[in-house]
Amino acid sequence: MKAIVFFNHKRLDEEMIQKIISFLGSFNIDVFIGDTFSGKQNHDYEPEVIMTFGGDGTVLRAVPFAVERDLPILSFKVGSVGFLAAFELGELESAIGKFVDNRLHMEERYLLEVSFKEKRYKVLNDCAVERGDPSRTTSLEVEIEGFSAYKIVGDGVILSTGTGSTAYNLSIGGALVDPMAKVYQVTPVAPHNPFVGSIIVDSTRKTKVTVIDGKNAPMKLYLDGILTAVLRDGDEIVAGISGKKVKLLRDAGFDFVRVLKRKLAFGGRLKDDL
């Protein structure tokens, strides 16, 4: 069996990485490090799975590989809160045992497809359009397909999937959404008008965001936390639910609310939860 593996080198030292590689080898899993993988250079290497060891950022780094090659992601959390990682690092042995025995559940998550100029991108969590000058308020126009356009005057806007609802979206007051729901939401960042709130949008509609006035400072487009483009007045991005999904391997019976209770004390701490 062959695997592309992504490591967070800030959280795992070289000794630990070699131990993990050696452990995977004991299950006859051949490892190719994801950061150095090139489909053109390694056209004869046909992996069956992508594995990640780190936080949510490490999982997000692997998503383009997974979508392009239609491979599932098996993720292990190393530090931080980690909503996307399916297993703790201490569960490595049991998780790999279930994987090789084909006893893991494959969960398909919806992606956003974001278009800017001639390029299209697939993102799992979110698309953020943010101000370039921290001291200036910017103006954006948001037009959800089939609805009247409206203006956001503030720091920017976030478009997030159900999976991304617990990420940046949550910190700016967006709604929590079932990660399996085929919807996305549009949430303003620090709007000047407090009555401009988050809107949950059906998958049949696309949303266009136009930069009206960046106050002489280029705005920035972040996709899954990665700076992807610099936007200027008049630039547009269009986003909607993609026809492709990403596959995440985990134990059967994933309980979204249970994860929220454990990670965020959702509903308050109870004695039985401690």
Side-chain angles (χ1 to χ4, degrees):
M1 181 180 297
K2 298 178 180 180
I4 301 176
V5 183
F6 289 82
F7 294 103
N8 184 323
H9 294 275
K10 293 181 180 179
R11 296 180 182 175
L12 291 164
D13 58 27
E14 192 60 32
E15 181 180 359
M16 178 57 72
I17 289 173
Q18 291 305 317
K19 285 183 178 179
I20 293 172
I21 293 174
S22 177
F23 176 79
L24 295 176
S26 70
F27 282 85
N28 294 318
I29 298 175
D30 181 39
V31 170
F32 202 109
I33 305 299
D35 296 307
T36 60
F37 183 82
S38 167
K40 293 181 180 180
Q41 295 176 0
N42 304 283
H43 60 276
D44 58 339
Y45 190 86
E46 298 181 357
E48 298 172 55
V49 66
I50 293 176
M51 297 184 187
T52 68
F53 294 84
D56 286 355
T58 312
V59 178
L60 294 174
R61 206 165 81 237
V63 167
F65 286 80
V67 174
E68 181 182 349
R69 296 165 178 80
D70 193 28
L71 296 174
I73 298 175
L74 176 57
S75 52
F76 296 89
K77 184 174 77 67
V78 183
S80 81
V81 177
F83 277 92
L84 291 175
F87 298 97
E88 301 288 338
L89 186 57
E91 300 175 293
L92 178 61
E93 183 173 357
S94 61
I96 294 299
K98 292 177 182 178
F99 170 66
V100 298
D101 290 339
N102 199 29
R103 290 187 289 122
L104 291 179
H105 173 69
M106 186 179 294
E107 186 173 277
E108 295 186 320
R109 297 285 184 91
Y110 292 101
L111 300 164
L112 270 182
E113 180 171 290
V114 181
S115 300
F116 175 59
K117 296 186 176 179
E118 301 301 320
K119 294 185 178 181
R120 294 186 177 184
Y121 307 88
K122 304 291 192 303
V123 297
L124 177 57
N125 265 1
D126 49 41
C127 160
V129 177
E130 295 188 320
R131 62 183 181 179
D133 187 331
S135 66
R136 301 292 182 91
T137 297
T138 60
S139 297
L140 303 170
E141 182 182 76
V142 176
E143 184 177 358
I144 299 171
E145 188 175 355
F147 299 149
S148 298
Y150 63 96
K151 184 179 289 187
I152 292 176
V153 178
D155 289 358
V157 66
I158 307 295
L159 287 77
S160 62
T161 63
T163 298
S165 70
T166 56
Y168 192 178
N169 169 78
L170 178 63
S171 70
I172 59 173
L176 290 172
V177 177
D178 180 348
M180 300 300 291
K182 195 176 182 180
V183 297
Y184 64 100
Q185 63 182 301
V186 182
T187 306
V189 182
H192 180 69
N193 181 351
F195 300 106
V196 178
S198 184
I199 298 180
I200 296 177
V201 183
D202 185 75
S203 63
T204 59
R205 304 180 190 274
K206 292 184 178 181
T207 295
K208 180 172 69 175
V209 177
T210 304
V211 179
I212 302 301
D213 185 2
K215 297 295 177 63
N216 297 317
M219 299 195 70
K220 297 176 181 178
L221 173 65
Y222 292 90
L223 301 180
D224 276 346
I226 298 174
L227 177 59
T228 304
V230 173
L231 309 178
R232 300 186 183 278
D233 292 358
D235 279 347
E236 301 174 347
I237 67 105
V238 177
I241 292 295
S242 171
K244 292 189 175 183
K245 300 178 183 179
V246 68
K247 301 171 183 177
L248 304 180
L249 292 171
R250 58 178 71 249
D251 275 328
F254 172 70
D255 186 337
F256 181 52
V257 172
R258 183 177 180 83
V259 172
L260 293 176
K261 288 170 67 178
R262 188 172 73 250
K263 305 286 187 180
L264 298 177
F266 187 71
R269 290 289 187 190
L270 301 177
K271 183 178 179 181
D272 292 343
D273 296 330
L274 301 178

